[in-house]
Amino acid sequence: MSIDITLTVNGREINTEVSPETTLVQLLREHLLLTGTHVGCDTSQCGACTVHLDGRAVKSCTVLAVQADGSEVTTIEGIAVAGGLHPMQAAFHQCHGLQCGFCTAGMIMSAIDLVTREDDLDEATIRKGLAGNICRCTGYHNIVKAVQMAAGQMEGRGHE
Amino acid sequence: MYSFNYSKPDTIEAAREMMRSAEDGIYLAGGQTLIPAMKQRLSAPTDVIDLSSIGELTDIDVSDGRVRLGALVKHADVAGSDAVRSAIPALADLAAGIGDAQVRNRGTIGGSVANNDPAADYPAALLGLGASVHTDQRQIPADDFFVGLFETALEEGEIITQVAFPVPDRAAYAKFPNPASRYATVGVFIGVRDGVTRVAVTGAAPCAFRSAEIEAALNAEISARSLDGITIGADDLNNDIHASAEYRAHLVTVMAKRAVTALPK
Amino acid sequence: MSETEISTIGRSVLRKEDHRFITGNGRFTDDINLPGQTYAVFVRSPLPHAEVRAVDTSEAEAAAGVVAVLTGADLAQDELGGLPCGWMITSKDGSEMKQPLHPVMAVDKVNYLGEPVAIVIAETLLEARNAAETVQVDYRELDAVVGADKAQSALQIHAEAPANTCYEWELGEREATEAAFEQASHITSLDLHNNRLIPNAIEPRAAIADYQPGTEELTLYTTSQNPHLARLILAAFVQIAPEHKLRVVSPDVGGGFGSKIMVYSEETATAWACMRIGRPVKWCADRSEAFLADAHGRDHFSHVELALDDEGTFLGLRVKTIANMGAYLSSFASSVPTYLYGTLLAGQYKTPAIYVEVDAVFTNTAPVDAYRGAGRPEASFLIERITTMAAREMDIDPAELRRRNFIQPEDFPYQTPVALEYDTGNYGVSLDKALEMSGYAEFSARQQQSVSSGKLRGIGISCYIEACGIAPSQVAGSLGAGVGLWESGEIRVNPTGNVTVLTGSHSHGQGHETTFAQLVAARFGIPIDDVQVVHGDTARLDFGMGTYGSRSIAVGGSALSVAADKIITKGCKIAAHLMETEAENIDFDQGEFKVSSSNLSKTFQEVAFAAYVPHDYPLDELEPGLTEKAFYDPANFTYPAGCHICEVEIDPDTGCVEIVNFTAVDDFGRIINPMIVEGQVHGGLAQGIGQALLENCVYDDTGQLLTGSYMDYCMPRADDLPSFNVDLTETPCTHNPLGVKGCGEAGAIGSPPAVINAITHAIGIPHMDMPATAEKVWRAIQEKRGA
């Protein structure tokens, strides 16, 4: 079975055919070659595959591509603004919030959603808000710092 | 995932029809449990019927002393709804503590309730608030809905349309999460309405249940102190590498006390 | 190093590699796709121990999209070798360790859950998966040997290994230690299990192989911490392809922590299958496969005794350990509980007599090998636990007991009774700093506050040491290592004056592309952006030993330092020629070659260009070009050490432990990039705290894995951990040109005993095995209150 879907990915309209069992992350990585989004587990826990679906952070390994029909998808490749880095990307760099870089895309996408959603971002709120993303390298210390830094810079920006 | 047929009906009637004609069909709501199970090949439906185009299932309505949540209302929407929060803050808090942010952005109350995972949070709220589950066929009181391990009163093909919660005088939820999965190792929901206290426990047993002992104690006096000396029998409780039955039994009273303490004044 | 270099390094330069990762432009193995590629799925044993009577692949071979189904028998037919273990351990009776064949895929017997039995290759992943389910394997189930502590009296797994024993190793002086215990006025003893861990780099292992029949070249892109070593093993032992026809590429690798050192079945079978079918083959592990088939870590059962005199002076230490090897010897498994463990048992202390016995045993579990720290966390846990226990038993402050027994600055170089010679250190300074930063003196006031709010509070100290910079080849070779453990570095100064640096070390999160660039840029006085660090490709650099054992800066960095010296020496010759003087008259400083006592000078870039334009060179004296390489073999291990202090608050109603403060003061010698070093510490601490509180690999009694996903194996998440309080002290390493020691593993080595020392302090009990789960803590509190 093959289904025709249309969705917007990083601002570009995509019309394609997928089989129902294709997950959104497979569509992104394998069909659209957007390999910045990664797969780190098969039980929907690690969050490496996090993208924004209609403005909300979701685990793209746990969404069928057909479910994204008619939606807007934003991936790590689509958040930089006018050739510059998104404040969250810049903050991860400034604060050494990444090491191996594998969880980073998902972590940044979750962090952007968190900052957009929550007004009062103390350390505990940030840590709780990132509980759906596992990082094995950083011990989260510098990720928390990065989110704090970006939150300051994203104020008043609204959703990306 | 095995291959399957996918359809996205616009109406409940069409969804039921598709289910009837499917060899081994399943409804898809938020998919946060179903899709992982299918990926692991633990679930192998021939037909997946996506309910997301059925408009009326996403409504949140707070009126006439009731919070009515459409079956496809997402956890994040419950957590973020001012109307829900002002009517039943404990319900908004419970929703804000389900899984993680990404799961809350997809997972739905209908999906959670229909799945009846023994460690899910919502069943405790439904039992603790005396909610009713509305389907395309009937209304089922929560007390009759949760039947056993991953088992509900839903008939073949029946679709949850809404969960209706009577607004309590006071309610609170206390959860001890499994450190790995973040599901409830033990969660206790307490709802007080018209002088009657309901106490529901999730995570501890194969199915969420109401604790008669704790309800009796709290119906005598609503205070953490009144739970001193109450012990829950461990015999029928879950026992796994994360928590023994004995520990879960202990946590039931601890979480019940915490929920009592957290009840709004 | 000159003063100017020191002043330009030591800065927290932001990482050069970040940009590609934060924009989604990293290139990990699974991001690589080749035309015509096929997909591989492994058929794995659902049983931990069974005879394989028959493998029927006929249905799978006929399934849609299937290209090939290959089994262990096909491997045997191609006469491929097994997977070797690179370190020979000799038992105390002089016999060599038992090394049963570790087949790439099982032939007639499976020995652990998830062991590969067949590889199914199809046009799509879905087809491969579907077909794999139809492979019929006829098993005769055998009893599984699970716990290492019971393995020696259980059903024998391998014919070569009676009593399931791989080796019985010893180190130290038995008689002197016995004598020390006879003199002791106090003996503290402890039985413990160092819990088994699953490494869980977030990128699962993956491989994609490509064979070009025209040139007979096989390329394997894979998630390896040491591509050259992988090539060597695949060529020399497994004999997949000759070394010069085999290229191994480790592109961006998403974390390793030891688990990507090893040469595994899956990558090997993928490469071999690619040659068999003549098309590219791709395999990417699911996380579920990673849980089953990545090499696990730790899993020691130990009995330890410490003998003290009545002043608390350590007289002797006696250790008996049973170490779980799993079903087969993984690549370096045998060295972990021996030379990376027993040799560290002196810790930071002047214990005069030490004797350790280690029995390594086979079980029907996944192979166990190096995981961050590898042997050293096990040693550190044991020493730092027994020391704290002894202090509490003798009513001496644990900080004071440690101080009394420290090796003092004037004692260096210090020869321990367990083979190592520590070159330098100052343990009192780290301890003092950590005590101050953690507010140790004011602990009792905080404890009172906790008690008044119904909580328990405890504080725990750990003063760890590790041997890093692995390793002096001569020493390693004399102890059984099958390879030399030097590192290579090559510097190519390009005609335009920028620099390509090639290192045999591999970066999979450690930040080599920045630290090594800083090192070289500072040495040449050029901008860091003019330095590009290349690693992870056997076709681009001669050879390298890879990254493990916190060796990259100490061995790989030192190799680059030596290569840089050679560049400067050559540059001086070229500059001398250009300025018509002798090379000995040239000084190189801050990017300029200057003629001493004159104003004449040439920039680094001018000399670089001149190196490639040798129009008037005296070619018999001066070769064109400006490329140098060095193979650096260290004179000794390095000995990072430090003090970690953990403070916990415990909710007695639930047993939940909250880390309210964690202080780490580490001595890594000289520091190139403090930001990166601190990041390494943070990550190590998270893994150490994870071991202490959350992580545990559990097989049930039948050998089924109960912690086979993130639903059950508890990974530390952001809200499980505090922010860390870290600082550094510095005693430069005395024997490498940079004075550096390495920092990758310290966090995971020092922290677990600090956490358990704090928890046992809070509850008032002698010991608790890791992980200190809420239930375990709650039970201990109940028991204590009942007692």
Side-chain angles (χ1 to χ4, degrees):
Chain A
M1 185 180 191
S2 193
I3 296 176
D4 187 70
I5 60 170
T6 301
L7 65 165
T8 306
V9 178
N10 298 332
R12 195 161 63 94
E13 190 177 293
I14 306 288
N15 179 257
T16 186
E17 283 204 343
V18 293
S19 62
E21 64 274 8
T22 307
T23 57
L24 177 56
V25 72
Q26 285 175 310
L27 172 70
L28 295 169
R29 286 182 55 82
E30 294 165 21
H31 300 218
L32 306 180
L33 303 179
L34 293 168
T35 55
T37 302
H38 299 141
V39 177
C41 80
D42 47 11
T43 54
S44 309
Q45 299 265 315
C46 81
C49 64
T50 302
V51 301
H52 293 180
L53 181 65
D54 293 327
R56 287 171 149 186
V58 302
K59 291 175 177 168
S60 62
C61 75
T62 312
V63 177
L64 301 174
V66 289
Q67 289 180 289
D69 186 20
S71 294
E72 258 185 57
V73 176
T74 307
T75 71
I76 189 72
E77 290 93 345
I79 57 170
V81 277
L85 295 175
H86 185 283
M88 191 63 74
Q89 292 172 307
F92 268 67
H93 175 54
Q94 289 290 327
C95 298
H96 187 30
L98 64 150
Q99 289 180 25
C100 79
F102 194 80
C103 78
T104 307
M107 196 66 85
I108 286 176
M109 298 311 284
S110 279
I112 292 172
D113 190 34
L114 175 67
V115 171
T116 315
R117 219 167 357 99
E118 293 276 346
D119 297 329
D120 194 13
L121 275 180
D122 58 11
E123 183 180 334
T125 312
I126 293 171
R127 287 182 178 278
K128 258 194 173 348
L130 295 178
N133 292 77
I134 299 176
C135 169
R136 194 54 152 169
C137 292
T138 65
Y140 306 99
H141 180 107
N142 287 337
I143 290 176
V144 172
K145 280 182 16 189
V147 176
Q148 283 168 329
M149 176 188 275
Q153 290 159 357
M154 282 170 65
E155 266 175 72
R157 291 180 66 94
H159 203 270
E160 96 268 7
Chain B
M1 254 181 273
Y2 293 105
S3 298
F4 56 87
N5 299 308
Y6 172 84
S7 55
K8 192 153 79 165
D10 296 328
T11 65
I12 285 174
E13 295 68 37
R16 298 240 13 183
E17 185 46 44
M18 284 165 178
M19 183 61 92
R20 260 192 297 277
S21 58
E23 186 187 330
D24 182 13
I26 195 160
Y27 294 125
L28 173 65
Q32 299 302 285
T33 303
L34 177 61
I35 294 172
M38 287 170 63
K39 278 169 41 181
Q40 299 268 351
R41 300 193 157 193
L42 301 170
S43 172
T46 57
D47 291 77
V48 169
I49 301 155
D50 185 347
L51 303 178
S52 66
S53 284
I54 304 174
E56 71 254 39
L57 300 185
T58 55
D59 293 342
I60 295 179
D61 175 64
V62 181
S63 60
D64 311 327
R66 287 259 184 298
V67 170
R68 296 182 185 84
L69 302 176
L72 294 190
V73 171
K74 297 179 168 79
H75 309 325
D77 293 332
V78 177
S81 162
D82 292 338
V84 174
R85 184 164 292 281
S86 65
I88 318 178
L91 187 60
D93 287 342
L94 174 144
I98 297 173
D100 54 50
Q102 297 97 310
V103 167
R104 292 193 292 274
N105 282 336
R106 292 293 291 170
T108 67
I109 184 167
S112 170
V113 167
N115 187 48
N116 192 22
D117 188 301
D121 296 293
Y122 266 131
L126 268 69
L127 288 172
L129 291 168
S132 55
V133 178
H134 297 223
T135 74
D136 61 322
Q137 306 289 311
R138 55 187 169 143
Q139 286 186 29
I140 311 167
D143 287 339
D144 301 332
F145 184 83
F146 300 107
V147 174
L149 182 70
F150 292 107
E151 207 185 329
T152 69
L154 290 172
E155 300 287 343
E156 189 73 34
E158 192 172 2
I159 296 175
I160 299 175
T161 54
Q162 186 186 84
V163 181
F165 298 89
V167 174
D169 304 326
R170 302 195 282 162
Y173 180 59
K175 170 180 176 177
F176 188 88
N178 175 318
S181 71
R182 304 302 174 103
Y183 275 87
T185 298
V186 168
V188 176
F189 197 102
I190 298 180
V192 185
R193 191 161 65 99
D194 300 335
V196 178
T197 302
R198 296 170 68 99
V199 177
V201 180
T202 191
C207 182
F209 66 96
R210 284 173 62 190
S211 167
E213 301 101 304
I214 298 176
E215 286 186 359
L218 293 180
N219 276 321
E221 186 201 333
I222 300 183
S223 74
R225 210 181 40 235
S226 63
L227 299 181
D228 285 345
I230 291 208
T231 49
I232 302 295
D235 290 350
D236 300 325
L237 299 190
N238 298 335
N239 193 14
D240 57 36
I241 55 167
H242 302 291
S244 67
E246 190 192 348
Y247 181 55
R248 278 190 162 88
H250 166 74
L251 286 177
V252 170
T253 41
V254 173
M255 291 300 118
K257 285 183 184 182
R258 291 192 179 171
V260 170
T261 309
L263 282 171
K265 298 296 165 224
Chain C
M1 283 190 290
S2 75
E3 283 304 309
T4 50
E5 285 166 31
I6 293 165
S7 68
T8 52
I9 64 179
R11 276 177 29 231
S12 290
V13 174
L14 297 180
R15 294 204 322 170
K16 287 162 68 77
E17 47 271 79
D18 283 355
H19 192 267
R20 65 179 186 270
F21 298 124
I22 58 179
T23 55
N25 287 299
R27 188 168 179 260
F28 295 90
T29 301
D30 189 22
D31 300 340
I32 296 170
N33 293 295
L34 300 173
Q37 77 188 17
T38 60
Y39 296 83
V41 165
F42 286 90
V43 176
R44 296 180 181 279
S45 171
L47 300 171
H49 198 193
E51 287 172 11
V52 177
R53 290 160 150 171
V55 182
D56 179 358
T57 60
S58 52
E59 192 181 341
E61 281 169 37
V66 168
V67 177
V69 182
L70 303 169
T71 65
D74 296 312
L75 273 160
Q77 204 174 46
D78 279 5
E79 294 181 351
L80 257 60
L83 300 170
C85 176
W87 203 300
M88 176 52 70
I89 299 297
T90 305
S91 285
K92 49 194 162 194
D93 68 2
S95 63
E96 292 191 339
M97 72 181 186
K98 308 297 189 294
Q99 193 173 350
L101 175 72
H102 183 178
V104 173
M105 291 192 286
V107 179
D108 48 16
K109 192 160 176 277
V110 288
N111 290 313
Y112 67 95
L113 182 76
E115 183 170 353
V117 178
I119 180 171
V120 177
I121 297 155
E123 299 291 344
T124 70
L125 185 57
L126 183 66
E127 287 166 337
R129 227 181 260 289
N130 288 342
E133 286 185 353
T134 68
V135 172
Q136 301 293 324
V137 185
D138 181 12
Y139 294 105
R140 189 178 79 87
E141 188 167 5
L142 302 168
D143 286 343
V145 182
V146 182
D149 53 339
K150 305 196 177 62
Q152 288 168 305
S153 55
L155 178 66
Q156 188 172 331
I157 300 169
H158 299 289
E160 303 86 336
N164 291 322
T165 301
C166 176
Y167 54 74
E168 294 170 307
W169 179 82
E170 66 178 349
L171 184 66
E173 298 287 336
R174 180 199 281 266
E175 281 164 23
T177 308
E178 302 288 325
F181 274 82
E182 276 162 30
Q183 291 165 23
S185 57
H186 187 93
I187 294 173
T188 297
S189 66
L190 168 66
D191 288 284
L192 66 87
H193 178 221
N194 199 292
N195 47 327
R196 183 176 178 122
L197 304 175
I198 305 179
N200 274 302
I202 299 299
E203 179 200 26
R205 285 189 287 125
I208 177 164
D210 183 27
Y211 183 65
Q212 296 296 325
T215 55
E216 298 177 318
E217 283 177 309
L218 174 66
T219 303
L220 177 66
Y221 301 89
T222 188
T223 50
S224 175
Q225 299 179 211
N226 29 235
H228 284 88
L229 215 52
R231 183 181 68 165
L232 177 64
I233 289 173
L234 291 174
F237 294 91
V238 188
Q239 299 187 321
I240 278 185
E243 207 171 2
H244 63 307
K245 299 279 193 184
L246 177 59
R247 175 184 176 200
V248 179
V249 184
S250 295
D252 287 327
V253 173
F257 316 109
S259 70
K260 293 173 181 168
I261 298 171
M262 301 84 194
V263 174
Y264 288 93
S265 292
E266 294 86 352
E267 293 86 332
T268 306
T270 299
W272 163 73
C274 163
M275 295 179 74
R276 285 270 300 218
I277 69 167
R279 284 176 63 185
V281 179
K282 185 176 196 174
W283 168 77
C284 295
D286 287 341
R287 178 60 54 190
S288 299
E289 291 183 275
F291 274 104
L292 292 172
D294 285 4
H296 295 176
R298 319 283 193 255
D299 204 355
H300 284 193
F301 288 89
S302 292
H303 176 74
V304 52
E305 296 165 280
L306 178 66
L308 306 93
D309 70 12
D310 49 16
E311 298 291 308
T313 305
F314 296 174
L315 302 177
L317 182 76
R318 199 155 53 188
V319 178
K320 173 73 200 258
T321 291
I322 299 174
N324 198 343
M325 296 285 101
Y328 301 102
L329 285 179
S330 174
S331 305
F332 290 97
S334 55
S335 65
V336 175
T338 50
Y339 293 108
L340 296 176
Y341 167 72
T343 52
L344 274 301
L345 288 171
Q348 299 188 355
Y349 312 113
K350 276 202 272 195
T351 313
I354 299 174
Y355 179 66
V356 52
E357 294 171 285
V358 178
D359 290 0
V361 299
F362 293 108
T363 59
N364 295 116
T365 63
V368 180
D369 203 326
Y371 167 65
R372 202 170 196 164
R376 290 150 293 168
E378 294 91 315
S380 167
F381 187 73
L382 187 144
I383 301 162
E384 291 307 291
R385 276 272 51 234
I386 197 84
T387 298
T388 287
M389 278 179 64
R392 290 177 189 159
E393 286 172 3
M394 297 178 76
D395 203 20
I396 302 171
D397 185 289
E400 172 57 24
L401 183 67
R402 285 173 167 83
R403 202 187 304 278
R404 277 183 207 174
N405 288 285
F406 276 156
I407 300 159
Q408 296 300 320
E410 62 271 20
D411 297 329
F412 294 101
Y414 176 79
Q415 176 63 53
T416 73
V418 276
L420 298 178
E421 187 187 82
Y422 300 167
D423 63 334
T424 183
N426 191 332
Y427 309 136
V429 168
S430 308
L431 174 65
D432 288 342
K433 196 165 187 176
L435 290 174
E436 195 192 321
M437 284 167 61
S438 65
Y440 189 77
E442 299 81 35
F443 170 76
S444 57
R446 297 191 296 276
Q447 189 180 32
Q448 282 311 311
Q449 264 180 357
S450 294
V451 168
S452 65
S453 57
K455 301 281 180 66
L456 305 174
R457 200 176 187 101
I459 193 162
I461 298 174
S462 155
C463 294
Y464 73 92
I465 192 160
E466 49 174 336
C468 295
I470 292 168
S473 296
Q474 200 176 340
V475 176
S478 73
L479 299 177
V483 289
L485 287 159
W486 43 266
E487 192 50 274
S488 77
E490 180 173 344
I491 299 177
R492 299 178 187 164
V493 181
N494 302 313
T496 53
N498 55 29
V499 174
T500 305
V501 169
L502 299 104
T503 174
S505 182
H506 187 270
S507 184
H508 32 280
Q510 296 89 342
H512 293 13
E513 290 169 40
T514 304
T515 304
F516 287 4
Q518 257 178 287
L519 183 67
V520 171
R523 183 64 62 90
F524 294 155
I526 60 176
I528 190 170
D529 287 344
D530 284 357
V531 183
Q532 181 79 5
V533 176
V534 174
H535 60 95
D537 185 345
T538 60
R540 293 189 71 180
L541 53 142
D542 295 353
F543 208 94
M545 294 308 296
T547 291
Y548 39 84
S550 304
R551 68 194 303 270
S552 291
I553 193 66
V555 193
S558 293
L560 288 174
S561 177
V562 174
D565 288 343
K566 293 181 182 178
I567 291 281
I568 292 168
T569 302
K570 174 84 181 281
C572 286
K573 284 186 191 165
I574 297 169
H577 168 70
L578 294 175
M579 295 184 282
E580 297 177 340
T581 180
E582 299 302 316
E584 49 269 32
N585 296 333
I586 304 287
D587 294 322
F588 181 70
D589 185 35
Q590 293 192 311
E592 301 227 15
F593 293 89
K594 292 177 185 155
V595 180
S596 37
S597 62
S598 96
N599 290 331
L600 291 175
S601 71
K602 291 284 177 190
T603 65
F604 183 80
Q605 290 78 9
E606 286 172 313
V607 168
F609 188 74
Y612 295 92
V613 190
H615 290 165
D616 60 349
Y617 272 24
L619 291 172
D620 50 341
E621 293 166 26
L622 190 58
E623 275 180 47
L626 194 51
T627 289
E628 297 286 355
K629 65 182 70 164
F631 287 72
Y632 179 81
D633 204 324
N636 190 356
F637 294 91
T638 63
Y639 299 97
C643 178
H644 292 186
I645 299 183
C646 178
E647 190 164 329
V648 298
E649 194 173 66
I650 298 174
D651 175 352
D653 294 336
T654 60
C656 274
V657 175
E658 185 191 355
I659 294 180
V660 290
N661 193 4
F662 200 103
T663 303
V665 175
D666 299 291
D667 177 357
F668 300 132
R670 289 247 162 80
I671 303 296
I672 313 286
N673 186 320
M675 175 193 81
I676 287 177
V677 167
E678 284 182 11
Q680 290 296 304
V681 174
H682 298 156
L685 292 178
Q687 284 174 325
I689 292 169
Q691 172 170 26
L693 292 181
L694 303 168
E695 297 180 43
N696 200 18
C697 167
V698 184
Y699 285 97
D700 72 11
D701 292 343
T702 70
Q704 289 295 325
L705 183 62
L706 299 183
T707 51
S709 83
Y710 291 145
M711 299 294 278
D712 291 304
Y713 186 86
C714 190
M715 290 285 278
R717 315 260 185 140
D719 57 353
D720 291 317
L721 296 168
S723 283
F724 306 113
N725 206 2
V726 305
D727 207 343
L728 299 165
T729 59
E730 183 177 313
T731 59
C733 172
T734 60
H735 59 76
N736 64 43
L738 301 171
V740 295
K741 297 183 181 178
C743 63
E745 295 162 294
I749 294 169
S751 58
V755 176
I756 299 299
N757 285 342
I759 292 170
T760 52
H761 182 225
I763 307 174
I765 54 169
H767 179 66
M768 174 174 291
D769 268 341
M770 300 183 289
T773 60
E775 175 164 4
K776 215 188 271 180
V777 170
W778 172 73
R779 285 186 182 278
I781 294 167
Q782 296 301 107
E783 211 168 293
K784 176 78 180 170
R785 287 182 173 170

